[in-house]
Amino acid sequence: MERLDAFVAAALMDTQVGGESVLASIRIAVLPIAKVFTMCFLGFLMASKYVNILPANGRKLLNGLVFSLLLPCLIFSQLGQAITLQKMIQWWFIPMNVVLTAISGSLIGFIVATIVRPPYPFFKFTIIHIGIGNIGNVPLVLIAALCRDQNNPFGDSETCSTDGTAYISFGQWVGAIILYTYVFNMLAPPPEGTFDIDELNLPTRNPLGGAPSVTNTAPEKVPLLTQTEAPLNPDPVKKGKAREILEYLYEKLKLKQILQPPIIASILAMGLGVVPFFKKLIFTPDAPLFFFTDSCIILGEAMIPCILLALGGNLVNGPGSSKLGVKTTSAIIFGRLVLVPPTGLGTVMLADKLGFLPAGDKMFRFVLLLQHTMPTSVLSGAVANLRGCGREAAAVLFWVHIFAILSMAGWITLYLNILF
């Protein structure tokens, strides 16, 4: 009995030479997931019919508040405090890793979709929902939950949180570009003009090239089916050449979709944080304008609980109706949560061997690994809803996030054992 007690005590204690023990690593990995699950469950409870103080309209407003104010404040304060010109040069692999994540994930998605053969027209849909992970909200939540623990392996809680948030925020602008260009085009409706190809009341085109005949004129479907010529500008005053070029680029590159509040906050934080004058003016504790940064820090701290309450509330309706079927949905879950992370682990380890990563920065490596491990991006579900396949995206997001609770705990345990 004494030997058993001694063994358990030794397993739970940190070893002097080998870093974290297996049981300690499991504890550190599981606790953040448990915190996330608890807050999501409270959101689910608040949105249920038994309590009903977080209805659909309330969740929509809460999501808007998080996206438009709380998340930008968190990014601006944390990234602005941590970034310098030297660090920006050192962190070049973070946006590169986001691109590699999308490429490797999409290749795995293509292989899985080729084998599974999802129902028409969801082949590209399957590729996207395997290939594009959540590189923003969920990693921020995990880092915050992990760093709050005083026994976390990354050291000081404040430094852990600041560095982790800065690393994650630094890659978000690349993720937004991928989302509103690559994902937006991949989720385009099929030639029939709609994903509901088995319904009778379909919008149809005039074969002679006339105006389309639309029997279902829902606002969200009409732009996907009609391509009207832009009216000629009646204003006789000629626009400047530079202005015409800028307007053309603005429309073609979809800058309105890309320049969302979190991305603007990232750009401002990087632009101001790398200039010593502005850093001393805004971001240092004794700066004249630090009150603004401090206000952003206070608001940013509310982002984590708000987004988890909203996410839990969104699961109250279940997966809903989906045409994907069990086989395709299971393949997406397996591909995203099981097949993609090993590829990311290999990519990060190779980059480390080649000297692309800052020496000795384990949080940097941990964030890179998390970018390959997260469930399907919630924002890709928003794009899917815009493109007309929102029901299927909601079903995939529901099941992927349910199973991600288990998969993330396992992968984080492995990563911590590799890093420490």
Side-chain angles (χ1 to χ4, degrees):
M1 189 67 179
E2 292 179 357
R3 290 183 178 180
L4 179 61
D5 292 341
F7 172 78
V8 173
L12 292 174
M13 291 175 62
D14 297 340
T15 59
Q16 295 282 334
V17 295
E20 295 291 332
S21 66
V22 175
L23 291 181
S25 297
I26 293 175
R27 172 184 171 276
I28 293 170
V30 170
L31 280 181
I33 307 297
K35 295 176 185 178
V36 170
F37 180 79
T38 301
M39 286 185 277
C40 284
F41 176 75
L42 291 175
F44 177 87
L45 186 63
M46 295 299 101
S48 66
K49 62 181 181 180
Y50 302 104
V51 181
N52 198 30
I53 63 172
L54 197 61
N57 289 337
R59 297 195 300 272
K60 184 177 179 180
L61 292 174
L62 189 59
N63 278 321
L65 180 66
V66 168
F67 183 75
S68 301
L69 178 63
L70 302 184
L71 179 57
C73 283
L74 178 70
I75 291 173
F76 180 80
S77 59
Q78 301 289 353
L79 182 58
Q81 286 179 304
I83 195 72
T84 62
L85 184 59
Q86 183 181 2
K87 287 184 177 180
M88 184 178 287
I89 297 172
Q90 291 177 346
W91 297 354
W92 69 270
F93 192 77
I94 293 179
M96 177 62 68
N97 190 60
V98 174
V99 175
L100 293 175
T101 302
I103 293 174
S104 61
S106 296
L107 289 175
I108 293 173
F110 177 80
I111 295 171
V112 171
T114 302
I115 296 172
V116 175
R117 295 183 180 179
Y120 180 81
F122 294 102
F123 188 88
K124 292 182 179 180
F125 176 95
T126 303
I127 294 174
I128 288 299
H129 282 74
I130 293 176
I132 306 299
N134 191 322
I135 63 168
N137 298 339
V138 177
L140 284 172
V141 170
L142 285 176
I143 291 295
L146 178 63
C147 293
R148 284 179 66 88
D149 192 341
Q150 297 296 327
N151 297 321
N152 78 82
F154 297 100
D156 178 65
S157 295
E158 185 175 350
T159 304
C160 168
S161 179
T162 301
D163 289 347
T165 302
Y167 295 154
I168 294 168
S169 303
F170 190 63
Q172 285 203 21
W173 61 276
V174 183
I177 293 175
I178 293 174
L179 188 73
Y180 290 105
T181 53
Y182 168 64
V183 175
F184 189 85
N185 285 286
M186 283 287 284
L187 293 181
E192 291 82 1
T194 177
F195 285 90
D196 299 323
I197 58 175
D198 58 339
E199 295 182 2
L200 296 177
N201 295 327
L202 291 178
T204 58
R205 290 185 178 275
N206 190 326
L208 299 179
S213 173
V214 181
T215 57
N216 183 4
T217 57
E220 65 272 15
K221 291 187 177 181
V222 173
L224 303 179
L225 307 179
T226 61
Q227 294 181 351
T228 57
E229 294 293 332
L232 296 176
N233 187 1
D235 189 358
V237 180
K238 293 184 177 180
K239 297 180 180 180
K241 192 71 174 177
R243 183 178 176 182
E244 289 182 0
I245 295 174
L246 290 175
E247 289 182 353
Y248 175 79
L249 292 175
Y250 184 84
E251 293 295 330
K252 292 300 277 186
L253 298 178
K254 297 181 173 62
L255 292 181
K256 184 177 181 180
Q257 287 87 351
I258 294 174
L259 293 177
Q260 299 293 338
I263 309 306
I264 296 174
S266 299
I267 294 173
L268 285 175
M270 289 187 289
L272 297 175
V274 298
V275 180
F277 172 77
F278 290 116
K279 197 173 191 70
K280 294 178 180 178
L281 183 67
I282 301 174
F283 295 111
T284 56
D286 56 347
L289 299 181
F290 184 73
F291 69 89
F292 179 78
T293 303
D294 198 28
S295 300
C296 290
I297 293 174
I298 295 171
L299 288 171
E301 290 175 347
M303 191 278 292
I304 304 299
C306 287
I307 198 168
L308 288 177
L309 289 174
L311 179 60
N314 289 336
L315 300 178
V316 73
N317 295 324
S321 59
S322 172
K323 298 179 182 178
L324 294 177
V326 176
K327 182 176 71 171
T328 302
T329 304
S330 301
I332 292 175
I333 296 171
F334 183 79
R336 180 66 233 173
L337 301 181
V338 178
L339 299 181
V340 173
T343 307
L345 179 59
T347 301
V348 175
M349 292 182 69
L350 178 61
D352 195 13
K353 293 290 184 183
L354 295 175
F356 292 161
L357 311 183
D361 193 338
K362 294 183 179 181
M363 174 58 80
F364 190 93
R365 289 156 177 78
F366 185 66
V367 168
L368 294 179
L369 292 169
L370 283 184
Q371 290 177 337
H372 293 271
T373 313
M374 293 298 99
T376 303
S377 171
V378 176
L379 291 179
S380 70
V383 174
N385 187 60
L386 179 66
R387 296 300 244 168
C389 50
R391 289 180 301 176
E392 288 71 25
V396 168
L397 290 174
F398 176 86
W399 291 115
V400 167
H401 281 80
I402 292 295
F403 285 98
I405 295 174
L406 299 175
S407 69
M408 286 191 297
W411 287 114
I412 290 174
T413 302
L414 176 63
Y415 297 157
L416 292 177
N417 277 280
I418 292 174
L419 293 174
F420 296 93

